[in-house]
Amino acid sequence: MKALTDVLVESSQLVRETGQWILQQSSQFSSSDIIYKGTNDLVSFVDQQAEAKLKQGLSAIFPEAAFIAEETSSNYDEVGDGYYWVIDPLDGTTNFLHKLPVFAVSVGLILNKQPILGLIYEPNRDELFTAVKGHGAHLNGKPIQVSPENSLSKSLLATGFPYYDFSYQDRYLDLLKELMRSSHGLRRMGAAAIDLAYTACGRFEGFFEANLKPWDVAAGKIIIEEAGGMVTNFSGGQDVIFTGEIIGAGPIFSEFLGTLQSKWFD
């Protein structure tokens, strides 16, 4: 079996090539190509073909792993403890469809349901964020660290809004009100993978969101952790990939989590 560092090198090239292909498609894309999976849940042939490219390439790079992928294998209730590639071929599909240049390819490798390798590629800025467990996190090959800021009041935070499940909307709005008052501000990029990558490199001090899928967070979790940050679910537990809840940050983590819990579980 290949060393994970070798797997990272090979998969980095694949992820870059896929992201550049997506970028080329963005200039040719038409609204008539949009497919609706559900309310505000959009997909296109670009998502589907990008995922096929990734699955073919990753199968050759590390055939020991099965797949959890957004467009073709979204039933992950019976995932075991082995290796799985967790793929979001185009995170930020709605941004892509509206020609907003904020989207990414996100690929994580998990073992025993925890990420051990992650790649997030943002083709518009040609930024590749990577991490392997125990080897640190990098942006285009250079080491990155979470922000050293230790005060929530001086922090810029990222989140995502409910877009099809509005059952927790009131709690979310209460939390947003509190964070608006107690931070430098909130940003909503529309792509959780980018939020996580930007937290890992210190552009954001922290990120939180609910109702996410494994492919939204598998890569970002390991990248933040290897950049020196902490990542949990809203209860403070380590089960992030399959609970749909994530909060990640650097030194502000405890204060950030406490503020979230005071509103979320009130």
Side-chain angles (χ1 to χ4, degrees), residues 3-5 8 109-112 114-118 130-138 219 221-223 225-227 238:
L4 288 180
T5 50
L8 181 68
L109 180 65
I110 64 173
L111 175 64
N112 300 330
Q114 292 296 326
I116 55 174
L117 178 152
T130 61
V132 173
K133 188 173 181 64
H135 291 270
H138 297 80
K221 181 179 187 291
I222 184 68
I223 294 173
E225 290 173 338
E226 287 296 315
Q238 292 301 307

mmCIF file with all atom_site columns, all heavy atoms in Angstrom, residues 3-5 8 109-112 114-118 130-138 219 221-223 225-227 238:
data_model
loop_
_atom_site.group_PDB
_atom_site.id
_atom_site.type_symbol
_atom_site.label_atom_id
_atom_site.label_alt_id
_atom_site.label_comp_id
_atom_site.label_asym_id
_atom_site.label_entity_id
_atom_site.label_seq_id
_atom_site.pdbx_PDB_ins_code
_atom_site.Cartn_x
_atom_site.Cartn_y
_atom_site.Cartn_z
_atom_site.occupancy
_atom_site.B_iso_or_equiv
_atom_site.pdbx_formal_charge
_atom_site.auth_seq_id
_atom_site.auth_comp_id
_atom_site.auth_asym_id
_atom_site.auth_atom_id
_atom_site.pdbx_PDB_model_num
ATOM 1   N N   . ALA A 1 3   ? 2.335   4.989  0.658  1.00 0.00 ? 3   ALA A N   1
ATOM 2   C CA  . ALA A 1 3   ? 2.358   5.945  1.759  1.00 0.00 ? 3   ALA A CA  1
ATOM 3   C C   . ALA A 1 3   ? 1.375   7.069  1.451  1.00 0.00 ? 3   ALA A C   1
ATOM 4   O O   . ALA A 1 3   ? 1.199   7.460  0.286  1.00 0.00 ? 3   ALA A O   1
ATOM 5   C CB  . ALA A 1 3   ? 3.764   6.511  1.942  1.00 0.00 ? 3   ALA A CB  1
ATOM 6   N N   . LEU A 1 4   ? 0.753   7.596  2.496  1.00 0.00 ? 4   LEU A N   1
ATOM 7   C CA  . LEU A 1 4   ? -0.235  8.651  2.298  1.00 0.00 ? 4   LEU A CA  1
ATOM 8   C C   . LEU A 1 4   ? 0.377   9.890  1.665  1.00 0.00 ? 4   LEU A C   1
ATOM 9   O O   . LEU A 1 4   ? -0.303  10.622 0.917  1.00 0.00 ? 4   LEU A O   1
ATOM 10  C CB  . LEU A 1 4   ? -0.897  9.007  3.628  1.00 0.00 ? 4   LEU A CB  1
ATOM 11  C CG  . LEU A 1 4   ? -1.866  7.974  4.197  1.00 0.00 ? 4   LEU A CG  1
ATOM 12  C CD1 . LEU A 1 4   ? -2.443  8.467  5.521  1.00 0.00 ? 4   LEU A CD1 1
ATOM 13  C CD2 . LEU A 1 4   ? -2.989  7.660  3.214  1.00 0.00 ? 4   LEU A CD2 1
ATOM 14  N N   . THR A 1 5   ? 1.637   10.170 1.955  1.00 0.00 ? 5   THR A N   1
ATOM 15  C CA  . THR A 1 5   ? 2.279   11.327 1.337  1.00 0.00 ? 5   THR A CA  1
ATOM 16  C C   . THR A 1 5   ? 2.389   11.148 -0.177 1.00 0.00 ? 5   THR A C   1
ATOM 17  O O   . THR A 1 5   ? 2.252   12.119 -0.937 1.00 0.00 ? 5   THR A O   1
ATOM 18  C CB  . THR A 1 5   ? 3.671   11.556 1.948  1.00 0.00 ? 5   THR A CB  1
ATOM 19  O OG1 . THR A 1 5   ? 4.404   10.325 1.946  1.00 0.00 ? 5   THR A OG1 1
ATOM 20  C CG2 . THR A 1 5   ? 3.547   12.065 3.385  1.00 0.00 ? 5   THR A CG2 1
ATOM 21  N N   . LEU A 1 8   ? -1.047  11.694 -1.616 1.00 0.00 ? 8   LEU A N   1
ATOM 22  C CA  . LEU A 1 8   ? -1.350  13.126 -1.691 1.00 0.00 ? 8   LEU A CA  1
ATOM 23  C C   . LEU A 1 8   ? -0.748  13.753 -2.947 1.00 0.00 ? 8   LEU A C   1
ATOM 24  O O   . LEU A 1 8   ? -1.413  14.535 -3.639 1.00 0.00 ? 8   LEU A O   1
ATOM 25  C CB  . LEU A 1 8   ? -0.820  13.840 -0.452 1.00 0.00 ? 8   LEU A CB  1
ATOM 26  C CG  . LEU A 1 8   ? -1.095  15.354 -0.407 1.00 0.00 ? 8   LEU A CG  1
ATOM 27  C CD1 . LEU A 1 8   ? -2.577  15.616 -0.249 1.00 0.00 ? 8   LEU A CD1 1
ATOM 28  C CD2 . LEU A 1 8   ? -0.309  16.017 0.712  1.00 0.00 ? 8   LEU A CD2 1
ATOM 29  N N   . LEU A 1 109 ? -9.897  11.650 2.382  1.00 0.00 ? 109 LEU A N   1
ATOM 30  C CA  . LEU A 1 109 ? -9.740  10.207 2.575  1.00 0.00 ? 109 LEU A CA  1
ATOM 31  C C   . LEU A 1 109 ? -9.940  9.923  4.052  1.00 0.00 ? 109 LEU A C   1
ATOM 32  O O   . LEU A 1 109 ? -9.259  10.516 4.900  1.00 0.00 ? 109 LEU A O   1
ATOM 33  C CB  . LEU A 1 109 ? -8.356  9.751  2.125  1.00 0.00 ? 109 LEU A CB  1
ATOM 34  C CG  . LEU A 1 109 ? -8.046  8.248  2.266  1.00 0.00 ? 109 LEU A CG  1
ATOM 35  C CD1 . LEU A 1 109 ? -8.940  7.423  1.359  1.00 0.00 ? 109 LEU A CD1 1
ATOM 36  C CD2 . LEU A 1 109 ? -6.570  7.974  1.962  1.00 0.00 ? 109 LEU A CD2 1
ATOM 37  N N   . ILE A 1 110 ? -10.898 9.045  4.380  1.00 0.00 ? 110 ILE A N   1
ATOM 38  C CA  . ILE A 1 110 ? -11.169 8.731  5.776  1.00 0.00 ? 110 ILE A CA  1
ATOM 39  C C   . ILE A 1 110 ? -10.825 7.276  6.063  1.00 0.00 ? 110 ILE A C   1
ATOM 40  O O   . ILE A 1 110 ? -10.866 6.414  5.181  1.00 0.00 ? 110 ILE A O   1
ATOM 41  C CB  . ILE A 1 110 ? -12.635 9.008  6.164  1.00 0.00 ? 110 ILE A CB  1
ATOM 42  C CG1 . ILE A 1 110 ? -13.611 8.102  5.404  1.00 0.00 ? 110 ILE A CG1 1
ATOM 43  C CG2 . ILE A 1 110 ? -12.985 10.470 5.950  1.00 0.00 ? 110 ILE A CG2 1
ATOM 44  C CD1 . ILE A 1 110 ? -15.063 8.217  5.887  1.00 0.00 ? 110 ILE A CD1 1
ATOM 45  N N   . LEU A 1 111 ? -10.471 7.032  7.311  1.00 0.00 ? 111 LEU A N   1
ATOM 46  C CA  . LEU A 1 111 ? -10.224 5.684  7.827  1.00 0.00 ? 111 LEU A CA  1
ATOM 47  C C   . LEU A 1 111 ? -10.860 5.610  9.200  1.00 0.00 ? 111 LEU A C   1
ATOM 48  O O   . LEU A 1 111 ? -10.658 6.495  10.031 1.00 0.00 ? 111 LEU A O   1
ATOM 49  C CB  . LEU A 1 111 ? -8.725  5.408  7.918  1.00 0.00 ? 111 LEU A CB  1
ATOM 50  C CG  . LEU A 1 111 ? -8.320  4.077  8.565  1.00 0.00 ? 111 LEU A CG  1
ATOM 51  C CD1 . LEU A 1 111 ? -8.816  2.894  7.740  1.00 0.00 ? 111 LEU A CD1 1
ATOM 52  C CD2 . LEU A 1 111 ? -6.805  4.000  8.756  1.00 0.00 ? 111 LEU A CD2 1
ATOM 53  N N   . ASN A 1 112 ? -11.641 4.574  9.441  1.00 0.00 ? 112 ASN A N   1
ATOM 54  C CA  . ASN A 1 112 ? -12.390 4.459  10.698 1.00 0.00 ? 112 ASN A CA  1
ATOM 55  C C   . ASN A 1 112 ? -13.242 5.709  10.944 1.00 0.00 ? 112 ASN A C   1
ATOM 56  O O   . ASN A 1 112 ? -13.354 6.198  12.064 1.00 0.00 ? 112 ASN A O   1
ATOM 57  C CB  . ASN A 1 112 ? -11.441 4.219  11.869 1.00 0.00 ? 112 ASN A CB  1
ATOM 58  C CG  . ASN A 1 112 ? -10.626 2.956  11.701 1.00 0.00 ? 112 ASN A CG  1
ATOM 59  O OD1 . ASN A 1 112 ? -11.084 1.992  11.078 1.00 0.00 ? 112 ASN A OD1 1
ATOM 60  N ND2 . ASN A 1 112 ? -9.414  2.950  12.222 1.00 0.00 ? 112 ASN A ND2 1
ATOM 61  N N   . GLN A 1 114 ? -12.780 8.748  10.251 1.00 0.00 ? 114 GLN A N   1
ATOM 62  C CA  . GLN A 1 114 ? -12.078 9.991  10.547 1.00 0.00 ? 114 GLN A CA  1
ATOM 63  C C   . GLN A 1 114 ? -11.144 10.337 9.385  1.00 0.00 ? 114 GLN A C   1
ATOM 64  O O   . GLN A 1 114 ? -10.486 9.444  8.834  1.00 0.00 ? 114 GLN A O   1
ATOM 65  C CB  . GLN A 1 114 ? -11.266 9.869  11.840 1.00 0.00 ? 114 GLN A CB  1
ATOM 66  C CG  . GLN A 1 114 ? -12.114 9.739  13.096 1.00 0.00 ? 114 GLN A CG  1
ATOM 67  C CD  . GLN A 1 114 ? -12.958 10.967 13.376 1.00 0.00 ? 114 GLN A CD  1
ATOM 68  O OE1 . GLN A 1 114 ? -12.546 12.095 13.099 1.00 0.00 ? 114 GLN A OE1 1
ATOM 69  N NE2 . GLN A 1 114 ? -14.143 10.762 13.927 1.00 0.00 ? 114 GLN A NE2 1
ATOM 70  N N   . PRO A 1 115 ? -11.064 11.607 9.005  1.00 0.00 ? 115 PRO A N   1
ATOM 71  C CA  . PRO A 1 115 ? -10.224 11.980 7.863  1.00 0.00 ? 115 PRO A CA  1
ATOM 72  C C   . PRO A 1 115 ? -8.737  11.866 8.180  1.00 0.00 ? 115 PRO A C   1
ATOM 73  O O   . PRO A 1 115 ? -8.292  12.222 9.270  1.00 0.00 ? 115 PRO A O   1
ATOM 74  C CB  . PRO A 1 115 ? -10.627 13.429 7.584  1.00 0.00 ? 115 PRO A CB  1
ATOM 75  C CG  . PRO A 1 115 ? -11.188 13.931 8.862  1.00 0.00 ? 115 PRO A CG  1
ATOM 76  C CD  . PRO A 1 115 ? -11.827 12.753 9.538  1.00 0.00 ? 115 PRO A CD  1
ATOM 77  N N   . ILE A 1 116 ? -7.990  11.377 7.199  1.00 0.00 ? 116 ILE A N   1
ATOM 78  C CA  . ILE A 1 116 ? -6.543  11.243 7.339  1.00 0.00 ? 116 ILE A CA  1
ATOM 79  C C   . ILE A 1 116 ? -5.802  11.979 6.230  1.00 0.00 ? 116 ILE A C   1
ATOM 80  O O   . ILE A 1 116 ? -4.580  12.134 6.284  1.00 0.00 ? 116 ILE A O   1
ATOM 81  C CB  . ILE A 1 116 ? -6.115  9.759  7.355  1.00 0.00 ? 116 ILE A CB  1
ATOM 82  C CG1 . ILE A 1 116 ? -6.625  9.025  6.114  1.00 0.00 ? 116 ILE A CG1 1
ATOM 83  C CG2 . ILE A 1 116 ? -6.613  9.074  8.631  1.00 0.00 ? 116 ILE A CG2 1
ATOM 84  C CD1 . ILE A 1 116 ? -6.123  7.598  5.985  1.00 0.00 ? 116 ILE A CD1 1
ATOM 85  N N   . LEU A 1 117 ? -6.527  12.449 5.240  1.00 0.00 ? 117 LEU A N   1
ATOM 86  C CA  . LEU A 1 117 ? -5.942  13.183 4.122  1.00 0.00 ? 117 LEU A CA  1
ATOM 87  C C   . LEU A 1 117 ? -7.017  14.076 3.539  1.00 0.00 ? 117 LEU A C   1
ATOM 88  O O   . LEU A 1 117 ? -8.184  13.679 3.466  1.00 0.00 ? 117 LEU A O   1
ATOM 89  C CB  . LEU A 1 117 ? -5.413  12.196 3.075  1.00 0.00 ? 117 LEU A CB  1
ATOM 90  C CG  . LEU A 1 117 ? -4.786  12.721 1.790  1.00 0.00 ? 117 LEU A CG  1
ATOM 91  C CD1 . LEU A 1 117 ? -3.757  11.706 1.256  1.00 0.00 ? 117 LEU A CD1 1
ATOM 92  C CD2 . LEU A 1 117 ? -5.835  12.972 0.699  1.00 0.00 ? 117 LEU A CD2 1
ATOM 93  N N   . GLY A 1 118 ? -6.641  15.276 3.123  1.00 0.00 ? 118 GLY A N   1
ATOM 94  C CA  . GLY A 1 118 ? -7.625  16.180 2.539  1.00 0.00 ? 118 GLY A CA  1
ATOM 95  C C   . GLY A 1 118 ? -7.016  17.088 1.492  1.00 0.00 ? 118 GLY A C   1
ATOM 96  O O   . GLY A 1 118 ? -5.859  17.505 1.606  1.00 0.00 ? 118 GLY A O   1
ATOM 97  N N   . THR A 1 130 ? -3.942  21.391 1.246  1.00 0.00 ? 130 THR A N   1
ATOM 98  C CA  . THR A 1 130 ? -3.749  19.963 1.444  1.00 0.00 ? 130 THR A CA  1
ATOM 99  C C   . THR A 1 130 ? -3.328  19.658 2.876  1.00 0.00 ? 130 THR A C   1
ATOM 100 O O   . THR A 1 130 ? -2.778  20.512 3.573  1.00 0.00 ? 130 THR A O   1
ATOM 101 C CB  . THR A 1 130 ? -2.657  19.413 0.501  1.00 0.00 ? 130 THR A CB  1
ATOM 102 O OG1 . THR A 1 130 ? -1.416  20.067 0.786  1.00 0.00 ? 130 THR A OG1 1
ATOM 103 C CG2 . THR A 1 130 ? -3.025  19.624 -0.954 1.00 0.00 ? 130 THR A CG2 1
ATOM 104 N N   . ALA A 1 131 ? -3.574  18.427 3.278  1.00 0.00 ? 131 ALA A N   1
ATOM 105 C CA  . ALA A 1 131 ? -3.107  17.955 4.581  1.00 0.00 ? 131 ALA A CA  1
ATOM 106 C C   . ALA A 1 131 ? -3.075  16.443 4.594  1.00 0.00 ? 131 ALA A C   1
ATOM 107 O O   . ALA A 1 131 ? -3.921  15.780 3.980  1.00 0.00 ? 131 ALA A O   1
ATOM 108 C CB  . ALA A 1 131 ? -3.995  18.463 5.710  1.00 0.00 ? 131 ALA A CB  1
ATOM 109 N N   . VAL A 1 132 ? -2.086  15.903 5.289  1.00 0.00 ? 132 VAL A N   1
ATOM 110 C CA  . VAL A 1 132 ? -2.002  14.483 5.623  1.00 0.00 ? 132 VAL A CA  1
ATOM 111 C C   . VAL A 1 132 ? -1.811  14.401 7.127  1.00 0.00 ? 132 VAL A C   1
ATOM 112 O O   . VAL A 1 132 ? -1.045  15.181 7.706  1.00 0.00 ? 132 VAL A O   1
ATOM 113 C CB  . VAL A 1 132 ? -0.824  13.796 4.902  1.00 0.00 ? 132 VAL A CB  1
ATOM 114 C CG1 . VAL A 1 132 ? -0.653  12.367 5.403  1.00 0.00 ? 132 VAL A CG1 1
ATOM 115 C CG2 . VAL A 1 132 ? -1.037  13.795 3.400  1.00 0.00 ? 132 VAL A CG2 1
ATOM 116 N N   . LYS A 1 133 ? -2.518  13.503 7.760  1.00 0.00 ? 133 LYS A N   1
ATOM 117 C CA  . LYS A 1 133 ? -2.445  13.383 9.218  1.00 0.00 ? 133 LYS A CA  1
ATOM 118 C C   . LYS A 1 133 ? -0.999  13.228 9.678  1.00 0.00 ? 133 LYS A C   1
ATOM 119 O O   . LYS A 1 133 ? -0.264  12.361 9.205  1.00 0.00 ? 133 LYS A O   1
ATOM 120 C CB  . LYS A 1 133 ? -3.280  12.201 9.697  1.00 0.00 ? 133 LYS A CB  1
ATOM 121 C CG  . LYS A 1 133 ? -3.426  12.125 11.211 1.00 0.00 ? 133 LYS A CG  1
ATOM 122 C CD  . LYS A 1 133 ? -4.409  11.037 11.603 1.00 0.00 ? 133 LYS A CD  1
ATOM 123 C CE  . LYS A 1 133 ? -4.580  10.955 13.112 1.00 0.00 ? 133 LYS A CE  1
ATOM 124 N NZ  . LYS A 1 133 ? -5.159  12.180 13.675 1.00 0.00 ? 133 LYS A NZ  1
ATOM 125 N N   . GLY A 1 134 ? -0.598  14.125 10.595 1.00 0.00 ? 134 GLY A N   1
ATOM 126 C CA  . GLY A 1 134 ? 0.744   14.081 11.135 1.00 0.00 ? 134 GLY A CA  1
ATOM 127 C C   . GLY A 1 134 ? 1.806   14.797 10.329 1.00 0.00 ? 134 GLY A C   1
ATOM 128 O O   . GLY A 1 134 ? 2.970   14.825 10.722 1.00 0.00 ? 134 GLY A O   1
ATOM 129 N N   . HIS A 1 135 ? 1.399   15.424 9.215  1.00 0.00 ? 135 HIS A N   1
ATOM 130 C CA  . HIS A 1 135 ? 2.368   16.078 8.336  1.00 0.00 ? 135 HIS A CA  1
ATOM 131 C C   . HIS A 1 135 ? 2.060   17.558 8.103  1.00 0.00 ? 135 HIS A C   1
ATOM 132 O O   . HIS A 1 135 ? 2.678   18.175 7.229  1.00 0.00 ? 135 HIS A O   1
ATOM 133 C CB  . HIS A 1 135 ? 2.439   15.347 6.990  1.00 0.00 ? 135 HIS A CB  1
ATOM 134 C CG  . HIS A 1 135 ? 3.052   13.988 7.072  1.00 0.00 ? 135 HIS A CG  1
ATOM 135 N ND1 . HIS A 1 135 ? 4.410   13.759 6.913  1.00 0.00 ? 135 HIS A ND1 1
ATOM 136 C CD2 . HIS A 1 135 ? 2.488   12.777 7.330  1.00 0.00 ? 135 HIS A CD2 1
ATOM 137 C CE1 . HIS A 1 135 ? 4.656   12.466 7.046  1.00 0.00 ? 135 HIS A CE1 1
ATOM 138 N NE2 . HIS A 1 135 ? 3.512   11.843 7.305  1.00 0.00 ? 135 HIS A NE2 1
ATOM 139 N N   . GLY A 1 136 ? 1.129   18.122 8.839  1.00 0.00 ? 136 GLY A N   1
ATOM 140 C CA  . GLY A 1 136 ? 0.831   19.534 8.686  1.00 0.00 ? 136 GLY A CA  1
ATOM 141 C C   . GLY A 1 136 ? -0.089  19.831 7.513  1.00 0.00 ? 136 GLY A C   1
ATOM 142 O O   . GLY A 1 136 ? -0.461  18.943 6.744  1.00 0.00 ? 136 GLY A O   1
ATOM 143 N N   . ALA A 1 137 ? -0.461  21.102 7.406  1.00 0.00 ? 137 ALA A N   1
ATOM 144 C CA  . ALA A 1 137 ? -1.337  21.570 6.331  1.00 0.00 ? 137 ALA A CA  1
ATOM 145 C C   . ALA A 1 137 ? -0.578  22.554 5.454  1.00 0.00 ? 137 ALA A C   1
ATOM 146 O O   . ALA A 1 137 ? 0.294   23.287 5.929  1.00 0.00 ? 137 ALA A O   1
ATOM 147 C CB  . ALA A 1 137 ? -2.584  22.237 6.914  1.00 0.00 ? 137 ALA A CB  1
ATOM 148 N N   . HIS A 1 138 ? -0.941  22.590 4.171  1.00 0.00 ? 138 HIS A N   1
ATOM 149 C CA  . HIS A 1 138 ? -0.207  23.409 3.214  1.00 0.00 ? 138 HIS A CA  1
ATOM 150 C C   . HIS A 1 138 ? -1.151  24.094 2.220  1.00 0.00 ? 138 HIS A C   1
ATOM 151 O O   . HIS A 1 138 ? -2.234  23.578 1.924  1.00 0.00 ? 138 HIS A O   1
ATOM 152 C CB  . HIS A 1 138 ? 0.800   22.557 2.438  1.00 0.00 ? 138 HIS A CB  1
ATOM 153 C CG  . HIS A 1 138 ? 1.860   21.949 3.299  1.00 0.00 ? 138 HIS A CG  1
ATOM 154 N ND1 . HIS A 1 138 ? 1.644   20.799 4.045  1.00 0.00 ? 138 HIS A ND1 1
ATOM 155 C CD2 . HIS A 1 138 ? 3.139   22.337 3.551  1.00 0.00 ? 138 HIS A CD2 1
ATOM 156 C CE1 . HIS A 1 138 ? 2.757   20.500 4.715  1.00 0.00 ? 138 HIS A CE1 1
ATOM 157 N NE2 . HIS A 1 138 ? 3.669   21.415 4.421  1.00 0.00 ? 138 HIS A NE2 1
ATOM 158 N N   . ALA A 1 219 ? -12.572 16.807 3.898  1.00 0.00 ? 219 ALA A N   1
ATOM 159 C CA  . ALA A 1 219 ? -11.246 17.361 3.594  1.00 0.00 ? 219 ALA A CA  1
ATOM 160 C C   . ALA A 1 219 ? -10.917 18.517 4.526  1.00 0.00 ? 219 ALA A C   1
ATOM 161 O O   . ALA A 1 219 ? -9.804  18.610 5.062  1.00 0.00 ? 219 ALA A O   1
ATOM 162 C CB  . ALA A 1 219 ? -11.187 17.818 2.138  1.00 0.00 ? 219 ALA A CB  1
ATOM 163 N N   . LYS A 1 221 ? -11.891 19.259 7.552  1.00 0.00 ? 221 LYS A N   1
ATOM 164 C CA  . LYS A 1 221 ? -11.634 18.926 8.956  1.00 0.00 ? 221 LYS A CA  1
ATOM 165 C C   . LYS A 1 221 ? -10.154 18.624 9.185  1.00 0.00 ? 221 LYS A C   1
ATOM 166 O O   . LYS A 1 221 ? -9.528  19.180 10.094 1.00 0.00 ? 221 LYS A O   1
ATOM 167 C CB  . LYS A 1 221 ? -12.484 17.749 9.406  1.00 0.00 ? 221 LYS A CB  1
ATOM 168 C CG  . LYS A 1 221 ? -12.283 17.362 10.873 1.00 0.00 ? 221 LYS A CG  1
ATOM 169 C CD  . LYS A 1 221 ? -13.184 16.201 11.275 1.00 0.00 ? 221 LYS A CD  1
ATOM 170 C CE  . LYS A 1 221 ? -13.124 15.927 12.778 1.00 0.00 ? 221 LYS A CE  1
ATOM 171 N NZ  . LYS A 1 221 ? -11.835 15.389 13.225 1.00 0.00 ? 221 LYS A NZ  1
ATOM 172 N N   . ILE A 1 222 ? -9.585  17.769 8.365  1.00 0.00 ? 222 ILE A N   1
ATOM 173 C CA  . ILE A 1 222 ? -8.186  17.395 8.576  1.00 0.00 ? 222 ILE A CA  1
ATOM 174 C C   . ILE A 1 222 ? -7.251  18.560 8.252  1.00 0.00 ? 222 ILE A C   1
ATOM 175 O O   . ILE A 1 222 ? -6.212  18.741 8.901  1.00 0.00 ? 222 ILE A O   1
ATOM 176 C CB  . ILE A 1 222 ? -7.818  16.137 7.741  1.00 0.00 ? 222 ILE A CB  1
ATOM 177 C CG1 . ILE A 1 222 ? -6.387  15.659 8.028  1.00 0.00 ? 222 ILE A CG1 1
ATOM 178 C CG2 . ILE A 1 222 ? -7.981  16.378 6.254  1.00 0.00 ? 222 ILE A CG2 1
ATOM 179 C CD1 . ILE A 1 222 ? -6.184  15.100 9.398  1.00 0.00 ? 222 ILE A CD1 1
ATOM 180 N N   . ILE A 1 223 ? -7.633  19.404 7.306  1.00 0.00 ? 223 ILE A N   1
ATOM 181 C CA  . ILE A 1 223 ? -6.779  20.540 6.959  1.00 0.00 ? 223 ILE A CA  1
ATOM 182 C C   . ILE A 1 223 ? -6.730  21.540 8.114  1.00 0.00 ? 223 ILE A C   1
ATOM 183 O O   . ILE A 1 223 ? -5.653  22.036 8.476  1.00 0.00 ? 223 ILE A O   1
ATOM 184 C CB  . ILE A 1 223 ? -7.257  21.209 5.652  1.00 0.00 ? 223 ILE A CB  1
ATOM 185 C CG1 . ILE A 1 223 ? -7.079  20.242 4.471  1.00 0.00 ? 223 ILE A CG1 1
ATOM 186 C CG2 . ILE A 1 223 ? -6.477  22.497 5.386  1.00 0.00 ? 223 ILE A CG2 1
ATOM 187 C CD1 . ILE A 1 223 ? -7.668  20.737 3.154  1.00 0.00 ? 223 ILE A CD1 1
ATOM 188 N N   . GLU A 1 225 ? -7.298  20.843 11.339 1.00 0.00 ? 225 GLU A N   1
ATOM 189 C CA  . GLU A 1 225 ? -6.597  20.197 12.458 1.00 0.00 ? 225 GLU A CA  1
ATOM 190 C C   . GLU A 1 225 ? -5.089  20.203 12.238 1.00 0.00 ? 225 GLU A C   1
ATOM 191 O O   . GLU A 1 225 ? -4.319  20.479 13.166 1.00 0.00 ? 225 GLU A O   1
ATOM 192 C CB  . GLU A 1 225 ? -7.129  18.780 12.646 1.00 0.00 ? 225 GLU A CB  1
ATOM 193 C CG  . GLU A 1 225 ? -8.547  18.744 13.195 1.00 0.00 ? 225 GLU A CG  1
ATOM 194 C CD  . GLU A 1 225 ? -9.137  17.353 13.232 1.00 0.00 ? 225 GLU A CD  1
ATOM 195 O OE1 . GLU A 1 225 ? -8.665  16.465 12.487 1.00 0.00 ? 225 GLU A OE1 1
ATOM 196 O OE2 . GLU A 1 225 ? -10.093 17.149 13.990 1.00 0.00 ? 225 GLU A OE2 1
ATOM 197 N N   . GLU A 1 226 ? -4.658  19.903 11.017 1.00 0.00 ? 226 GLU A N   1
ATOM 198 C CA  . GLU A 1 226 ? -3.224  19.885 10.736 1.00 0.00 ? 226 GLU A CA  1
ATOM 199 C C   . GLU A 1 226 ? -2.634  21.297 10.695 1.00 0.00 ? 226 GLU A C   1
ATOM 200 O O   . GLU A 1 226 ? -1.419  21.467 10.789 1.00 0.00 ? 226 GLU A O   1
ATOM 201 C CB  . GLU A 1 226 ? -2.954  19.139 9.424  1.00 0.00 ? 226 GLU A CB  1
ATOM 202 C CG  . GLU A 1 226 ? -3.133  17.641 9.525  1.00 0.00 ? 226 GLU A CG  1
ATOM 203 C CD  . GLU A 1 226 ? -2.138  16.993 10.482 1.00 0.00 ? 226 GLU A CD  1
ATOM 204 O OE1 . GLU A 1 226 ? -0.949  17.333 10.410 1.00 0.00 ? 226 GLU A OE1 1
ATOM 205 O OE2 . GLU A 1 226 ? -2.562  16.157 11.318 1.00 0.00 ? 226 GLU A OE2 1
ATOM 206 N N   . ALA A 1 227 ? -3.506  22.302 10.576 1.00 0.00 ? 227 ALA A N   1
ATOM 207 C CA  . ALA A 1 227 ? -3.055  23.698 10.638 1.00 0.00 ? 227 ALA A CA  1
ATOM 208 C C   . ALA A 1 227 ? -3.056  24.228 12.068 1.00 0.00 ? 227 ALA A C   1
ATOM 209 O O   . ALA A 1 227 ? -2.818  25.423 12.284 1.00 0.00 ? 227 ALA A O   1
ATOM 210 C CB  . ALA A 1 227 ? -3.944  24.574 9.752  1.00 0.00 ? 227 ALA A CB  1
ATOM 211 N N   . GLN A 1 238 ? -16.244 14.526 18.619 1.00 0.00 ? 238 GLN A N   1
ATOM 212 C CA  . GLN A 1 238 ? -15.373 14.343 17.463 1.00 0.00 ? 238 GLN A CA  1
ATOM 213 C C   . GLN A 1 238 ? -16.099 13.822 16.232 1.00 0.00 ? 238 GLN A C   1
ATOM 214 O O   . GLN A 1 238 ? -15.531 13.808 15.136 1.00 0.00 ? 238 GLN A O   1
ATOM 215 C CB  . GLN A 1 238 ? -14.235 13.384 17.826 1.00 0.00 ? 238 GLN A CB  1
ATOM 216 C CG  . GLN A 1 238 ? -13.268 13.963 18.847 1.00 0.00 ? 238 GLN A CG  1
ATOM 217 C CD  . GLN A 1 238 ? -12.617 15.239 18.363 1.00 0.00 ? 238 GLN A CD  1
ATOM 218 O OE1 . GLN A 1 238 ? -12.038 15.280 17.279 1.00 0.00 ? 238 GLN A OE1 1
ATOM 219 N NE2 . GLN A 1 238 ? -12.729 16.306 19.149 1.00 0.00 ? 238 GLN A NE2 1
#
